[in-house]
Structures are given as structure tokens and as C-alpha cells.
Amino acid sequence: MKKYISINDISNLADTIQQAIQLKKAPFAFEKLGKHKTLVMLFFNASLRTRLSTEKAARNLGMEVMVLNVNDAWNLEFEDGAVMNLNTTEHIKDAAQVISQYADVIAVRAFPSLTDKMKDESEWVLKSFVNHASVPIVNMESATAHPLQALTDAITIEELKIKKKPKVVLSWAPHPKALPHAVANSFVRMMQSSEVDFAITHPKGYELDPSITKNTPLFYDQSEALKDADIVYVKNWSSYTNYGKIESKDTNWMLTQEKIGQAKFMHCLPVRRNVVVEDAVLDSENSIVISQANNRTYAAQIVLKKILENLEV
């Protein structure tokens, strides 16, 4: 693996999932692999699980880790040919090359603006590092994708599924703030590549990018979609058509115990209790969000392991 920008960088998904599960059983088995190697983690946005799990994954492999909250340093310039006489201090061309001298792998987290769809979909921050850095880049969530979370989700489903081809439903839920599409986008793509019976449910007006959802079954009736579900993944996202806007705050879409029945409950966290999902679901035996969060380490670790192995070739 030369980089991890999207789930398309995984050459064999089934094998990668099994390798991650094996890593979980022996997390320090490859701690010599990352000796004298450094991971630099760049955060343009705040993080809890991604930051801690990725750092733990790197240290499990013997790597040194450096973390920089980029916006606490200065504002980077990303536009080619920019006249930098305003509030930007350093151009990405220079910064990426310099950071590459300090790092063997660079991991980047940068959220979308949710105001300029074209710019967000261009993945201008992430791709600037891909274009100008001289070391592998790992996507810790970008404007349109969260491939580490999606790999985590696939690992979790593989570990905890009770039938060969479970019915998995991605359900929209209400939220007071406009949220990105990244988690939903990558989860959809991951489920399309997995052996599951997959469907999406959300109110009208919350259709995701059709180039991503493609022919995935879509239901505007949440109850119909959830019928006989084995796993329910709940996530809010803002409007894609009316980009970045909140089209609905319908509380009837909150996931309840009555709706989910005996299905397992998944969410990437953080989650707003009794807004997105009620306590009765989150605190039930069928909630697997904590196991899911734990697997963030092993998703990151298998990715870093494959990148380090490629560096040795």
C-alpha cells in the first residue's frame, strides 16, 4: 500500500480485514517494523478517536509520533500563484516538502467547508499533500471521505455478524448542526464492497452524492427500511443537493429501541444522546459502538503496517 486516501487503496478487502483482526490479537507482533520511522499527524480540525487510535496504532508498530494542530501554527496557502499579502504565512508546496523531511508517513485530517461543494469535492487540502509531499499520505477524514472509519466499520461487522450476509441499514438521524458527508460516503462505498444486504434510509432531500450511492436501495420510510435489519448504522449528514444545509430536524427519525428491535447498533461517535439515538439503544447489549471505537486502532494499524512494508520494498 503506497497511501491510504480512500478505500480503493485496499487491494484485497477481505484479507485486510482478517489481518486487522489478527493484529488485534497480537498488537505488538510487528513493533520492529516501525523502528526509526516517524508518523506526523496534521489536524486542521479537532479529533478524539482518530487522533488517539492512530497514535496508538503507530506506537504499536514501534513508530515515533509527532502531532501538529495546523491552525494553531499558522494559516497555510493552497492556491497556486497566490499573492500571499493577506493572512496566509506559508504555502503548502513548501510546508509539505519540509514536513516530508521529518516524516516517513504523513496523516491529515481536514473537514469540508460545507459551503463550496466544488471546492470540497476537489479535496483541495488532502490532494495538496498528496501532490507536494514526498512520503505516503493517510486520510484521517477529509472533505468527502473517512476511509479509516469505514475500514473500522467493516472489521466490526465481520467480527460481530451472526449470519454470512447480514442486512445492514444506514439510517439518517436528526442533528442540530450541519454535518459532513464523509462518514456516510465511505460507509456506503465499504458496504457496496462487502458481502452484506445493504440499504439506506433518510428523509426526502437528504440524498447523498448519486455517484456514490449508485444503485443502493433507498427508503424514505425508516420503519420499512429497518424491517428485519441485523445491523443499523446511524449517522446524520447535511443536504447534498442544497449543499451543507439542514433541510429537516424531524425528531421522528431519532433511533429508538422500538425501531431497532434486536438489531445491533453502530455509530462512529461522538453521538448526541436522545437526539440522534435514545439512551435505551446506546446503553443496550446490542449497542456495539464501544467495540467499534476500539477497532479504530486496528484499522489504522493495518493500514500503517502495509505502508511501512511497502517502504521496505
Side-chain angles (χ1 to χ4, degrees):
M1 185 180 288
K2 295 182 179 180
K3 64 184 185 309
Y4 191 58
I5 304 304
S6 76
I7 67 170
N8 294 332
D9 291 314
I10 301 174
S11 59
N12 189 312
L13 179 59
D15 284 352
T16 299
I17 291 171
Q18 291 304 320
Q19 290 167 25
I21 292 172
Q22 293 305 310
L23 270 181
K24 189 174 180 179
K25 297 175 182 177
F28 305 113
F30 299 93
E31 60 184 339
K32 293 182 180 180
L33 184 61
K35 187 176 181 181
H36 303 312
K37 296 290 194 299
T38 300
L39 171 68
V40 171
M41 301 168 65
L42 303 177
F43 291 92
F44 290 82
N45 301 95
S47 173
L48 189 156
R49 272 151 296 276
T50 300
R51 179 168 179 168
L52 296 178
S53 62
T54 306
E55 181 168 350
K56 181 177 180 180
R59 295 193 185 281
N60 284 351
L61 292 168
M63 300 184 77
E64 297 295 327
V65 181
M66 295 191 289
V67 179
L68 178 63
N69 296 320
V70 180
N71 293 336
D72 290 345
W74 50 77
N75 292 323
L76 290 175
E77 178 60 63
F78 290 87
E79 298 294 337
D80 285 339
V83 178
M84 293 171 54
N85 61 356
L86 295 175
N87 65 337
T88 54
T89 306
E90 183 166 3
H91 201 284
I92 183 62
K93 289 182 180 179
D94 307 314
Q97 291 180 76
V98 169
I99 296 168
S100 296
Q101 295 177 109
Y102 309 147
D104 297 281
V105 182
I106 298 173
V108 180
R109 181 178 177 93
F111 290 172
S113 66
L114 288 181
T115 57
D116 187 331
K117 182 193 286 189
M118 184 176 297
K119 192 171 184 180
D120 286 345
E121 291 187 334
S122 75
E123 292 286 10
W124 55 286
V125 174
L126 184 68
K127 288 187 177 178
S128 290
F129 279 96
V130 172
N131 291 337
H132 299 299
S134 57
V135 299
I137 303 297
V138 173
N139 181 354
M140 295 192 296
E141 187 172 0
S142 62
T144 67
H146 199 344
L148 283 177
Q149 181 65 56
L151 180 54
T152 297
D153 300 335
I155 293 166
T156 305
I157 290 171
E158 178 63 25
E159 281 187 313
L160 299 177
K161 68 183 183 182
I162 58 175
K163 61 174 67 170
K164 184 177 181 180
K165 189 176 183 179
K167 178 180 178 180
V168 178
V169 179
L170 172 63
S171 177
W172 180 92
H175 196 284
K177 296 176 64 178
L179 296 185
H181 307 96
V183 170
N185 286 343
S186 290
F187 185 72
V188 169
R189 283 177 161 145
M190 182 62 76
M191 291 302 98
Q192 290 169 340
S193 301
S194 303
E195 192 174 0
V196 297
D197 177 10
F198 180 55
I200 306 170
T201 183
H202 57 69
K204 290 183 178 180
Y206 275 96
E207 292 78 9
L208 293 163
D209 182 349
S211 70
I212 293 174
T213 55
K214 298 179 181 178
N215 296 321
T216 299
L218 168 61
F219 296 84
Y220 296 123
D221 185 325
Q222 188 185 39
S223 297
E224 182 182 358
L226 296 180
K227 185 178 180 181
D228 299 323
D230 299 296
I231 298 168
V232 179
Y233 197 116
V234 174
K235 185 72 180 78
N236 173 270
W237 57 86
S238 55
S239 174
Y240 177 75
T241 304
N242 190 13
Y243 190 65
K245 303 301 181 183
I246 298 176
E247 296 287 317
S248 172
K249 293 184 180 180
D250 187 352
T251 59
N252 291 321
W253 278 80
M254 180 181 74
L255 194 69
T256 64
Q257 186 62 59
E258 181 180 3
K259 291 179 183 178
I260 197 171
Q262 295 304 308
K264 289 181 169 59
F265 171 75
M266 296 181 71
H267 190 284
C268 61
L269 300 180
V271 64
R272 295 196 180 216
R273 285 174 173 257
N274 304 306
V275 175
V276 173
V277 56
E278 67 176 4
D279 284 339
V281 175
L282 265 174
D283 297 331
S284 72
E285 292 183 356
N286 287 330
S287 173
I288 56 176
V289 297
I290 303 303
S291 298
Q292 184 182 356
N294 185 44
N295 281 336
R296 288 300 307 273
T297 297
Y298 306 103
Q301 190 169 342
I302 191 60
V303 166
L304 291 172
K305 176 178 178 288
K306 287 180 176 292
I307 289 173
L308 289 172
E309 288 170 339
N310 185 69
L311 290 177
E312 291 192 337
V313 174

